[in-house]
Amino acid sequence: MSDRKLADEKMKEIEQTASVWGRLLAQEAFPDGPGLDVSLADMEEIAAVATKAIVRGAIGTMAEEQAQSLDRQQPCPVCGKLCDVSRKPRAVAVRGGSAELSEPVAHCSKCRRAFFPSTQSTAD
Ligand SMILES: [Zn+2]
């Protein structure tokens, strides 16, 4: 993780928040409580589906916010010409599931090549 990783205290807050979401999820899945016919595997399946959805939503949102922070034009890494940035959807596998990113991409007409402006470098 980068130097800008969240402090341990903030990570504990996020874990506590997610734990509350887990209790809410249980109430959403079984408003009257799970019947005795609901197995541990059934409960695990519900939690796993929710976990993957949280990963998709969180990663997609954070990556989108980074992409939006980029200027509309980025310098070509080869010649330095300012090039218009557009977006290209890309599915990525991440821990705990997958996410759909709207990845910034630019094309340099001078070098006749595409490049992917890094959203990571703006954080430095
Ligand atoms: Zn170029």
Side-chain angles (χ1 to χ4, degrees):
M1 200 177 276
S2 74
D3 294 339
R4 296 181 59 132
K5 72 179 180 182
L6 296 178
D8 289 346
E9 189 171 322
K10 185 64 177 177
M11 290 300 284
K12 285 180 186 167
E13 287 177 25
I14 290 170
E15 194 174 343
Q16 288 169 353
T17 298
S19 180
V20 171
W21 292 343
R23 287 195 289 277
L24 293 172
L25 175 68
Q27 291 169 357
E28 178 67 26
F30 301 104
D32 300 322
L36 295 177
D37 60 331
V38 177
S39 70
L40 186 58
D42 295 334
M43 297 176 198
E44 185 180 25
E45 178 65 21
I46 292 165
V49 167
T51 300
K52 288 178 182 174
I54 289 172
V55 167
R56 268 195 317 274
I59 299 284
T61 298
M62 291 185 278
E64 177 62 25
E65 288 173 353
Q66 281 186 329
Q68 285 183 359
S69 71
L70 280 176
D71 290 335
R72 292 177 150 293
Q73 291 191 317
Q74 290 291 311
C76 170
V78 174
C79 71
K81 178 182 183 251
L82 283 177
C83 305
D84 290 338
V85 176
S86 61
R87 300 290 195 82
K88 182 180 176 186
R90 182 168 71 104
V92 293
V94 294
R95 275 190 292 175
S98 62
E100 179 83 20
L101 306 182
S102 179
E103 190 170 56
V105 59
H107 185 270
C108 179
S109 58
K110 187 176 173 186
C111 299
R112 305 181 112 188
R113 66 188 292 269
F115 63 95
F116 298 89
S118 174
T119 55
Q120 302 302 313
S121 63
T122 60
D124 293 337

